[in-house]
Amino acid sequence: MKLVSYKTEDREHLGVFIKGHIHNLNSCDKLIPDTMNEFLNGGEELMERAKKVNEEIKSGKQEAKQEVFFEMLAPVPHPSSCRDGYAFRQHVASARKNRRVEMIPEYDQYPIFYFTNHNAIQGVGDIECMPDHFEKLDFELEAAIVIGKKGKNIKAADADSYIAGYMIMNDLSARTLQMEEMLLNLGPAKGKDFSTVIGPWLVTPDELEKFKISPKPGHTGNAYDLSMKCWVNGVEVSSGSMADMDWTFAEIIERCSYGVDILPGDVIGSGTVGTGCFLELNGTGLLNDPNYEPQWLQAGDIVEMEVTGLGRLTNTIRRVNTDWSILKLKKNQESRTKNQELGKSN
């Protein structure tokens, strides 16, 4: 089942996507809430009701109105939180190699994650970026899960049952802001908090059964062989697979839930697949060829991501018409510059 959130006349709704059409779930079963957040908080009972409606529409047993005039939203428009993991060893190893540093051994000991801005979640469509964001603006090709029931201190062996569904995620990153603030060993913050894109729909785990594979040796949880690709302006720039995840979502959930509740509507990203961002691609390119021309996202660029079974997520990058910059807001910058000039003159 593919669950979608959409808007008509400034009202949010919950629907199912079937054969290119959206059908409102509440109109088919009044016990199903009309928003994703309420639906997820209803747990497994509502999920089963929705699956029944989905099958009845597919089989023709139930006639359901097809939405015509609507605005697609992020599948989970208002997550209760948003975390992002670091599940692909290839990406981490390549990024460190490009910086000429050794692979960090702690990577293989436990999964990690950070919290990002759950109020900056977006779906398909335009992404508005400030001038500073365009200082090395980057995509990040990822998958993500949505939590479907409350839990705490969950073991990895039991964690997959807490997953309501899977989506594509684009963790947009302003690299200059990110690198500047992380010099202080805290973050990422402003380099990441302006937009995280998820969509186009939430795919329930049963739809991915045919792609299931064994996790990597020594790991626990469901794994899937799903091709992951990204295009910028029609040119393929990234290709990988969810099969390359070293840490499973189950293991990430185990760590996330240690000593704390995870809640219905929590979004958890996988982290970037190998080759899944310009930061990695540019680093590898420059390492192999000093004349390599780095590439970053520009205003007007169209970013398309596709994951087998999860659909295609398309966004257009737009520039906000302003010259407001936080990169220029540095205390004592003027005095430091004067001191440097005095030092040179002496």
Side-chain angles (χ1 to χ4, degrees), residues 1-4 6 14-30 32 47-67 207:
M1 179 170 60
K2 296 179 177 68
L3 293 162
V4 298
Y6 65 99
L14 172 68
V16 285
F17 182 84
I18 300 173
K19 297 179 180 178
H21 299 285
I22 290 176
H23 306 271
N24 182 269
L25 279 168
N26 178 258
S27 66
C28 300
D29 184 338
K30 294 302 181 184
I32 300 176
M47 184 66 74
E48 290 306 311
R49 297 189 77 93
K51 286 180 179 179
K52 181 181 177 182
V53 170
N54 186 67
E55 290 304 315
E56 288 177 348
I57 296 173
K58 279 185 173 180
S59 65
K61 290 182 180 179
Q62 180 167 176
E63 289 188 12
K65 175 187 174 183
Q66 296 177 2
E67 298 286 5
E207 288 215 3

Side-chain angles (χ1 to χ4, degrees), residues 71-134:
E71 175 190 352
M72 281 285 283
L73 304 173
V76 185
H78 313 288
S80 42
S81 73
C82 187
R83 300 169 173 91
D84 201 9
Y86 214 30
F88 292 91
R89 194 181 200 278
Q90 178 188 344
H91 168 68
V92 180
S94 295
R96 293 184 69 84
K97 180 182 178 182
N98 293 342
R99 301 199 307 273
R100 294 178 170 82
V101 294
E102 296 295 324
M103 181 60 181
I104 188 166
E106 286 79 7
Y107 178 84
D108 298 305
Q109 296 175 8
Y110 49 86
I112 64 168
F113 67 91
Y114 72 94
F115 281 95
T116 190
N117 186 0
H118 64 291
N119 290 316
I121 291 289
Q122 297 180 248
V124 299
D126 289 354
I127 304 297
E128 291 191 343
C129 298
M130 294 289 284
D132 288 346
H133 296 147
F134 285 98

Side-chain angles (χ1 to χ4, degrees), residues 30-254:
K30 294 302 181 184
L31 292 179
I32 300 176
D34 202 21
T35 65
M36 180 65 82
N37 283 39
E38 291 179 278
F39 172 75
L40 291 172
N41 276 285
E44 294 176 357
E45 179 183 348
L46 289 182
M47 184 66 74
E48 290 306 311
R49 297 189 77 93
K51 286 180 179 179
K52 181 181 177 182
V53 170
N54 186 67
E55 290 304 315
E56 288 177 348
I57 296 173
K58 279 185 173 180
S59 65
K61 290 182 180 179
Q62 180 167 176
E63 289 188 12
K65 175 187 174 183
Q66 296 177 2
E67 298 286 5
V68 178
F69 302 106
F70 60 88
E71 175 190 352
M72 281 285 283
L73 304 173
V76 185
H78 313 288
S80 42
S81 73
C82 187
R83 300 169 173 91
D84 201 9
Y86 214 30
F88 292 91
R89 194 181 200 278
Q90 178 188 344
H91 168 68
V92 180
S94 295
R96 293 184 69 84
K97 180 182 178 182
N98 293 342
R99 301 199 307 273
R100 294 178 170 82
V101 294
E102 296 295 324
M103 181 60 181
I104 188 166
E106 286 79 7
Y107 178 84
D108 298 305
Q109 296 175 8
Y110 49 86
I112 64 168
F113 67 91
Y114 72 94
F115 281 95
T116 190
N117 186 0
H118 64 291
N119 290 316
I121 291 289
Q122 297 180 248
V124 299
D126 289 354
I127 304 297
E128 291 191 343
C129 298
M130 294 289 284
D132 288 346
H133 296 147
F134 285 98
E135 297 295 326
K136 300 182 178 178
L137 179 63
D138 206 352
F139 72 93
E140 290 194 41
L141 173 58
E142 308 186 18
I145 58 170
V146 177
I147 297 300
K149 60 183 179 180
K150 183 179 179 179
K152 186 176 183 179
N153 294 326
I154 302 161
K155 299 297 190 294
D158 304 317
D160 282 305
S161 67
Y162 286 78
I163 299 175
Y166 295 78
M167 309 172 293
I168 303 171
M169 175 185 277
N170 181 1
D171 177 31
L172 284 163
S173 302
R175 298 301 190 185
T176 296
L177 281 168
Q178 179 187 356
M179 297 309 172
E180 178 186 76
E181 63 196 2
M182 291 186 73
L183 289 172
L184 297 170
N185 296 320
L186 188 65
K190 294 310 297 177
K192 296 276 192 175
D193 76 344
F194 59 100
S195 176
T196 300
V197 188
I198 56 174
W201 33 70
L202 179 64
V203 179
T204 51
D206 56 289
E207 288 215 3
L208 303 180
E209 279 293 315
K210 61 185 176 181
F211 303 107
K212 189 181 288 187
I213 58 174
S214 299
K216 292 197 173 183
H219 291 271
T220 302
N222 291 342
Y224 302 94
D225 187 9
L226 306 179
S227 172
M228 305 174 70
K229 293 183 181 293
C230 179
W231 296 262
V232 176
N233 299 327
V235 178
E236 184 179 310
V237 294
S238 177
S239 179
S241 173
M242 274 183 66
D244 297 328
M245 286 179 70
D246 290 82
W247 294 105
T248 66
F249 276 117
E251 291 167 326
I252 297 171
I253 289 172
E254 181 179 64

Side-chain angles (χ1 to χ4, degrees), residues 187-322:
K190 294 310 297 177
K192 296 276 192 175
D193 76 344
F194 59 100
S195 176
T196 300
V197 188
I198 56 174
W201 33 70
L202 179 64
V203 179
T204 51
D206 56 289
E207 288 215 3
L208 303 180
E209 279 293 315
K210 61 185 176 181
F211 303 107
K212 189 181 288 187
I213 58 174
S214 299
K216 292 197 173 183
H219 291 271
T220 302
N222 291 342
Y224 302 94
D225 187 9
L226 306 179
S227 172
M228 305 174 70
K229 293 183 181 293
C230 179
W231 296 262
V232 176
N233 299 327
V235 178
E236 184 179 310
V237 294
S238 177
S239 179
S241 173
M242 274 183 66
D244 297 328
M245 286 179 70
D246 290 82
W247 294 105
T248 66
F249 276 117
E251 291 167 326
I252 297 171
I253 289 172
E254 181 179 64
R255 189 164 183 90
C256 289
S257 68
Y258 180 76
V260 67
D261 289 327
I262 58 169
L263 302 171
D266 283 357
V267 171
I268 304 174
S270 64
T272 311
V273 68
T275 77
C277 65
F278 281 138
L279 181 68
E280 180 187 340
L281 294 168
N282 290 340
T284 301
L286 289 168
L287 191 66
N288 296 326
D289 178 7
N291 297 316
Y292 180 87
E293 288 291 333
Q295 182 178 356
W296 303 102
L297 294 177
Q298 307 295 325
D301 282 353
I302 298 173
V303 181
E304 299 171 280
M305 294 184 170
E306 185 173 272
V307 177
T308 303
L310 303 186
R312 182 177 283 234
L313 180 62
T314 302
N315 297 100
T316 301
I317 306 298
R318 302 295 186 191
R319 179 186 290 269
V320 176
N321 185 22
T322 180

